[in-house]
Amino acid sequence: MQHVSVIAHVAALDHGEEWLDAVLAGVERNAHLLTDLLAEHLPHVRYRPGEATYLAWLDGRDLPGDVARDPRAWFLERAGVALEDGRRFGPGGEGHVRLNLATNVGVLTEAVGRMAASITG
């Protein structure tokens, strides 16, 4: 009897290429969308799309006061958006957060909108 994970792994290798291509294309589209959303709603957040990742590294050090000091806590408490704290990734991570791009357009758009609204009003 084969373990379920082995069967799933073989199926993914044999039949998953089309699915993976679609996922990667969606992540790339979301990276471009995030660039546009940040420019429109959170222009003080710096972001440069990375290569080969579904995670966006956002630099919030130019945001006002308390937001810049701990953007993860600010956006979680005031916007209901859970991001990963950049400090977990070592020196230089202060004022940064990671956002998962492997989501749908509606979720990404709403998250950035809520983040912006938590700062502006």
Side-chain angles (χ1 to χ4, degrees):
M1 181 168 159
Q2 287 188 332
H3 193 277
V4 174
S5 65
V6 173
I7 296 169
H9 185 81
V10 170
L13 290 173
D14 289 346
H15 307 289
E17 188 173 336
E18 185 177 319
W19 171 84
L20 180 58
D21 289 345
V23 168
L24 295 175
V27 168
E28 185 175 347
R29 278 191 307 272
N30 281 352
H32 293 294
L33 174 61
L34 179 62
T35 299
D36 294 342
L37 291 169
L38 292 174
E40 182 179 348
H41 301 287
L42 287 168
H44 289 67
V45 173
R46 290 189 303 269
Y47 164 63
R48 189 176 70 231
E51 295 182 26
T53 183
Y54 61 94
L55 298 168
W57 186 250
L58 305 180
D59 181 347
R61 293 176 294 173
D62 289 340
L63 290 167
D66 289 340
V67 189
R69 278 188 282 286
D70 193 350
R72 185 212 57 86
W74 179 278
F75 291 131
L76 181 60
E77 293 167 11
R78 291 178 175 80
V81 176
L83 304 165
E84 192 67 41
D85 191 339
R87 294 176 292 197
R88 292 193 58 214
F89 303 97
E94 300 82 8
H96 292 78
V97 290
R98 275 192 344 182
L99 180 141
N100 191 330
L101 293 168
T103 188
N104 69 51
V105 169
V107 169
L108 181 60
T109 302
E110 181 178 341
V112 173
R114 288 166 60 175
M115 290 164 65
S118 77
I119 295 170
T120 60

